[in-house]
Amino acid sequence: MRINLDNVPLVTQSAMLKNILLAFEHEKFSKELAAHIVGGVTKLERLIAAEKVHAEKPCMKQNGKWFVNAPQVLVHCKNRR
């Protein structure tokens, strides 16, 4: 379902975005989900390398799970128009 924000004032849109980012403040995404949101694994890895997105892998096993900061991923989400 798409949400139409064409008739919503910019100030209200900004407040909505701030509320969404605050709601996800302590949430983490998997690397797979984060890559899907930003537009691919390569782009996610570039964002991590540029320190625009924080990611951690607490377990150094080969197949250990990555935890990626959710609000930072949402800020860099791919435009899907």
Side-chain angles (χ1 to χ4, degrees):
M1 180 173 125
R2 290 192 176 215
I3 299 172
N4 187 354
L5 297 175
D6 292 340
N7 297 327
V8 179
L10 194 57
V11 174
T12 305
Q13 290 180 26
S14 177
M16 291 167 67
L17 175 60
K18 184 177 179 181
N19 287 338
I20 292 167
L21 296 177
L22 286 172
F24 278 88
E25 186 176 16
H26 299 290
E27 298 297 321
K28 305 287 184 195
F29 289 148
S30 67
K31 186 176 180 183
E32 183 180 336
L33 178 58
H36 177 74
I37 292 170
V38 299
V41 175
T42 304
K43 182 169 181 185
L44 177 63
E45 290 174 350
R46 278 193 220 128
L47 290 168
I48 293 169
E51 298 182 359
K52 293 182 179 180
V53 173
H54 181 261
E56 59 184 59
K57 185 177 176 183
C59 179
M60 283 299 139
K61 293 180 183 175
Q62 181 179 357
N63 60 346
K65 185 171 175 79
W66 283 85
F67 296 95
V68 186
N69 186 283
Q72 293 172 343
V73 169
L74 293 174
V75 166
H76 295 283
C77 71
K78 181 179 178 183
N79 186 359
R80 301 191 187 271
R81 288 190 173 210

